[in-house]
């Protein structure tokens, strides 16, 4: 390669991870503007950005051809200026599947094995076996997974290990899906809602999925399932979720995402005994950015070699 490709990194990285990028190829000219510090100085030259850019910054980058995000969701970058441009957008989809699956099953077992009840008994030094009568098994129950991407597929795999019946919903139900007993298209959402004992949302946030779960959908949940949202808060109407909890339409909710984050102190969800709240940490790992940089470097090598990139976002689809 006769010229050096200008690469701008705007994420705040450890020296080790930044060093991995700088040492990746002699064909790169790496600029570092952590958290957009002095980013305006480098944007006019940048061909690649590893980081998030606001619309105002995008206008300062006439040579930009590719943006890679360290996270799975693309909605924060899908503003009109980016959508209408020729800039390729890729994400770090796929590096979250294990940690999010483990969080989900931690929530599920907390509910079904009454772990909160026993934890309260421990704090009070009470030995009482009666709560065991209310325990439930995952084995033999049905899990409905809204979204069969990398995370949903991993959830399905683990669910089968627990002996669960697995139903999944995806845009194209004709695509193969391992570990899934029933694959449904969006038009059959009602059937999935009616059959599920545990219902988990792991869909991307798009125009079609925004406010997908409302009072109407909660009313269709015949099994009074446990409900989990690990995707984006705006996929679920939060007021309708609170109403469904109060009316007993669902047994409980495990929530990692919310319409407003941080979740306001005034939200009733904080006080509800049958709700688990975690602060949008489902995808976190102690060394998350190391994983994200590894994926970025794989894509970067593909870019330098003129190969097809991984996790390209179809802008019109939203993911």
């Amino acid at each position: 390669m006769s010229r050096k490709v200008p690469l701008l990194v705007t994420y705040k990285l450890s020296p080790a991870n930044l060093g991995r990028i700088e040492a990746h190829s002699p064909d790169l000219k790496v600029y570092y503007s952590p958290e957009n510090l002095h980013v305006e100085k480098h944007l006019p030259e940048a061909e690649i950005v590893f980081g998030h850019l606001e619309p105002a910054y995008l206008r300062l980058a006439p040579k930009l051809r590719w943006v890679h995000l360290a996270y799975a969701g693309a909605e924060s970058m899908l503003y009109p200026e980016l959508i209408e441009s020729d800039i390729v957008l890729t994400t770090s989809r796929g590096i979250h599947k294990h940690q999010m699956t483990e969080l989900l099953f931690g929530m599920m077992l907390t509910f079904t094995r009454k772990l909160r009840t026993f934890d309260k008994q421990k704090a009070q030094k009470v030995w009482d076996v009666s709560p065991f009568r209310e325990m439930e098994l995952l084995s033999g129950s049905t899990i409905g997974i809204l979204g069969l991407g990398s995370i949903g597929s991993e959830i399905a795999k683990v669910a089968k290990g627990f002996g669960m019946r697995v139903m999944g919903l995806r845009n194209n139900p004709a695509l193969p899906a391992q570990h899934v007993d029933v694959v449904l298209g969006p038009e059959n959402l009602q059937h999935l809602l009616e059959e599920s004992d545990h219902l988990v949302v792991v869909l991307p946030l798009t125009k079609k999925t925004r406010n997908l779960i409302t009072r109407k959908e909660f009313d269709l949940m015949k099994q009074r399932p446990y409900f989990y949202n690990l995707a984006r808060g705006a996929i679920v109407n939060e007021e309708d979720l609170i109403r469904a909890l109060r009316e007993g339409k669902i047994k409980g909710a495990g929530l990692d995402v919310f319409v407003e984050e941080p979740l306001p102190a005034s939200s009733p969800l904080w006080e509800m005994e049958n709700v688990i709240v975690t602060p949008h940490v489902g995808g976190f790992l102690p060394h998350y950015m190391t994983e994200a940089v590894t994926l970025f470097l794989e894509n970067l090598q593909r870019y330098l070699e003129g190969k097809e990139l991984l996790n390209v976002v179809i802008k019109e689809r939203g993911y």
Side-chain angles (χ1 to χ4, degrees):
M1 186 173 287
S2 59
R3 69 181 184 89
K4 289 184 179 290
V5 176
L7 162 62
L8 174 60
V9 178
T10 65
Y11 289 122
K12 187 176 181 179
L13 300 179
S14 68
N17 279 326
L18 180 61
R20 292 169 66 200
I21 295 174
E22 291 174 330
H24 181 75
S25 171
D27 297 323
L28 293 171
K29 186 176 183 181
V30 179
Y31 299 106
Y32 185 44
S33 297
E35 299 177 338
N36 291 324
L37 181 67
H38 307 307
V39 69
E40 299 91 343
K41 183 168 65 175
H42 306 302
L43 281 171
E45 189 177 352
E47 182 175 323
I48 303 168
V49 168
F50 179 42
H52 178 273
L53 289 180
E54 297 294 336
Y57 287 140
L58 193 67
R59 290 191 285 269
L60 301 177
K63 299 180 181 179
L64 186 59
R65 295 179 59 189
W66 170 39
V67 175
H68 184 90
L69 300 175
Y71 306 102
E75 71 275 3
S76 64
M77 279 285 293
L78 289 175
Y79 42 76
E81 293 87 344
L82 191 284
I83 293 173
E84 294 164 7
S85 76
D86 295 327
I87 297 167
V88 176
L89 179 65
T90 59
T91 71
S92 294
R93 186 174 71 246
I95 68 172
H96 312 80
K97 62 182 182 179
H98 296 299
Q99 55 268 41
M100 291 188 70
T101 298
E102 290 186 10
L103 175 62
L104 171 66
F105 278 87
M107 290 176 169
M108 292 169 71
L109 291 168
T110 296
F111 284 132
T112 60
R113 306 308 291 171
K114 308 303 175 187
L115 298 183
R116 278 183 157 178
T117 299
F118 290 117
D119 195 51
K120 289 179 181 178
Q121 289 185 186
K122 175 180 174 291
Q124 299 167 3
K125 301 180 181 178
V126 172
W127 184 277
D128 178 11
V129 300
S130 61
F132 90 90
R133 297 185 180 92
E134 299 176 0
M135 288 183 182
E136 303 167 69
L137 280 177
L138 294 182
S139 178
S141 65
T142 296
I143 184 170
I145 306 171
L146 276 71
L148 287 175
S150 61
I151 298 167
S153 297
E154 183 68 16
I155 290 170
K157 177 182 176 182
V158 174
K160 292 306 290 184
F162 274 96
M164 302 181 77
R165 174 175 177 250
V166 180
M167 301 179 70
L169 182 141
R170 69 186 329 166
N171 273 333
N172 186 354
L175 291 175
Q178 287 187 312
H179 313 293
V180 182
D181 299 299
V182 180
V183 182
L184 302 169
E187 68 279 4
N188 291 313
L189 173 61
Q190 178 174 343
H191 182 56
L192 183 140
L193 297 176
E194 290 175 343
E195 293 287 314
S196 298
D197 301 298
H198 296 268
L199 188 65
V200 55
V201 179
V202 282
L203 290 164
L205 178 61
T206 67
K207 291 180 180 178
K208 290 184 178 180
T209 64
R210 185 178 294 275
N211 222 35
L212 178 68
I213 306 297
T214 65
R215 183 171 188 170
K216 173 187 173 183
E217 284 68 39
F218 285 116
D219 286 346
L220 292 171
M221 298 179 188
K222 293 183 178 180
Q223 306 302 323
R224 293 186 60 243
Y226 293 103
F227 179 81
Y228 312 87
N229 188 2
L230 305 184
R232 290 293 186 269
I235 296 175
V236 180
N237 184 299
E238 213 159 270
E239 291 184 3
D240 291 347
L241 168 62
I242 292 169
R243 182 184 295 111
L245 286 160
R246 286 173 170 163
E247 294 177 355
K249 298 292 178 64
I250 55 178
K251 293 179 184 176
L255 307 172
D256 187 50
V257 291
F258 305 88
V259 173
E260 182 180 347
E261 296 180 1
L263 181 64
S266 59
S267 172
L269 294 169
W270 287 113
E271 308 296 332
M272 292 183 165
E273 287 287 326
N274 58 343
V275 174
I276 298 171
V277 171
T278 54
H280 204 153
V281 295
F284 283 11
L285 282 173
H287 305 293
Y288 178 90
M289 287 306 292
T290 298
E291 297 290 327
V293 168
T294 297
L295 177 58
F296 170 65
L297 291 178
E298 181 178 354
N299 243 359
L300 179 59
Q301 188 59 37
R302 287 170 172 262
Y303 181 89
L304 295 174
E305 295 176 0
K307 296 180 178 178
E308 184 178 356
L309 298 179
L310 303 172
N311 295 348
V312 174
V313 174
I314 300 174
K315 297 174 184 178
E316 297 76 19
R317 194 173 64 184
Y319 61 94

